Amino acid sequence: GGQQRAAPCPRGGPGGQGQPPAEEAGTGQGHRGGHRPGAAVGAAQHLYQGLGVSGGGPGLGPADLQTRKARRLKQAKEEAQMEVEQYRREREQEFQSKQQAAMGSQGNLSAEVEQATRCQVQGMQSSQQRNRERVLAQLLGMVCDVRAQVHPNYRIAA
């Protein structure tokens, strides 16, 4: 008809980067019948180029493409590792919070027992210091006060 089409791209598609222009993509207005013969090939080439599968434009040799692909793979691996690490941290934090919620009552219980034990030990120490002199005096009095008497079970043989 009377519509103008974009000039073909050296990379494969009529849209400049292997993609059809927005006004022609799937609307049925760019070509009779709504289907352009080279659109699928251009889109596939663009997808393959994004993945680093097929050779692209001028000046890019196989070695350049390989290094670019290796770089993209390395970056993807790093991103995946970062996502895994972040997921692990989130799960660990969730586990810690659940563990704290479940063990919280036991943690408080052990703290209460420890506090009660400390109070009992302090009470015993203060009681020991208060009664120390009196107990020592009573013990020394019993040891040093010797009374001579015959034991009631002693029998004199006649």
Side-chain angles (χ1 to χ4, degrees), residues 99-122:
Q99 186 180 25
Q100 182 122 16
M103 300 294 283
S105 59
Q106 289 183 1
N108 291 342
L109 182 63
S110 66
E112 290 174 11
V113 167
E114 195 172 317
Q115 178 66 28
T117 304
R118 269 192 241 118
C119 287
Q120 285 180 343
V121 167
Q122 284 178 348

Side-chain angles (χ1 to χ4, degrees), residues 34-98:
H35 176 66
R36 293 191 347 263
V41 174
Q45 283 180 348
H46 178 71
L47 288 174
Y48 284 136
Q49 287 170 0
L51 295 173
V53 174
S54 71
L60 292 178
D64 291 334
L65 290 174
Q66 223 172 12
T67 57
R68 289 172 70 192
K69 183 177 179 180
R71 231 181 298 132
R72 281 193 297 273
L73 286 173
K74 184 178 179 182
Q75 182 181 2
K77 182 180 177 183
E78 290 172 356
E79 289 175 0
Q81 285 177 339
M82 287 173 38
E83 287 180 15
V84 166
E85 185 64 27
Q86 182 175 356
Y87 178 75
R88 188 194 63 77
R89 280 193 302 263
E90 289 172 0
R91 297 297 291 177
E92 181 70 25
Q93 197 172 29
E94 188 178 319
F95 171 75
Q96 292 292 338
S97 65
K98 285 183 180 180

Side-chain angles (χ1 to χ4, degrees), residues 121-140:
V121 167
Q122 284 178 348
M124 287 182 205
Q125 286 176 343
S126 64
S127 175
Q128 185 264 340
Q129 287 184 356
R130 272 195 319 262
N131 298 325
R132 180 178 178 197
E133 291 298 321
R134 188 175 53 142
V135 170
L136 283 175
Q138 186 180 7
L139 185 62
L140 284 174

